[in-house]
Amino acid sequence: MIIKAVSGGVFGAFTTSQWRESPSFYGNSDMFLFRLEPQLKVFRPIEEAKQTKLSKNYMYFNSRATAKGAVNGLGFGGTMEKPRLFISETFEGCEAGTFDYTFEPGPLLASEWDRYFDIEDIEVWGIGTEEILSDALKQRNQQQGITASNARKAQMVDKSALLCDFSAGFMENKMFSHQAHVSQRTDINISSNAGAYSSDVEVSRCEA
């Protein structure tokens, strides 16, 4: 995965593990973070002698935040609450830190003082046999189908809830309240044609 930030800098992550929904970190020591611009730098997993219990937090992919305290999106290093490199599900509020207990320290962004960034461009490359790439595309299409189906269900629920609110009297329908008002006036006739009405009163021109 290669990212270009609006504020400058090109960086990303490499992994040999398959991306999958997970409530916890996964991956292996073949993974690394890197920066291409302004200077080339590779941040590999730290030496085994310096590892802690947080040193195997290689990556996670959690679009539904099924893990308690986890943020929605794709994370590398760090913790579930504060990954070293984080791409949110909306591409907003993305972060790139300079230190964690999994990868070697150093800035990913153009400025080491920055942490948050906006994405200008992002590319994800898959490497493998034709069969592996074909399976990955099938999984992507299935996920897109699930997302589209959930969106349609949400729209149907919203419409049903709105109708229930009207029928239960929770929402006052003011779209036609003007008819009840004008029906009490003798100088206005209400037409059955789409609720239109006309006035028998001559309207005089007002002059300043």
Side-chain angles (χ1 to χ4, degrees), residues 48-91:
E48 186 173 354
K50 300 179 181 179
Q51 290 183 357
T52 70
K53 63 179 181 179
L54 298 176
S55 297
K56 297 187 184 297
N57 291 355
Y58 298 108
M59 68 175 293
Y60 82 90
F61 179 55
N62 197 328
S63 64
R64 297 186 293 270
T66 53
K68 183 178 180 180
V71 287
N72 291 31
L74 180 65
F76 302 89
T79 64
M80 299 291 280
E81 296 81 11
K82 185 69 70 172
R84 167 83 173 272
L85 173 59
F86 173 64
I87 310 299
S88 73
E89 62 174 350
T90 61
F91 292 150

Side-chain angles (χ1 to χ4, degrees), residues 4 43 50 62 67 94 102 127 133-134 150 173 185 193 200:
K4 182 177 182 181
F43 307 101
K50 300 179 181 179
N62 197 328
C94 299
T102 301
I127 302 174
L133 296 177
S134 177
N150 291 338
N173 184 355
R185 297 180 54 176
N193 182 19
D200 297 330

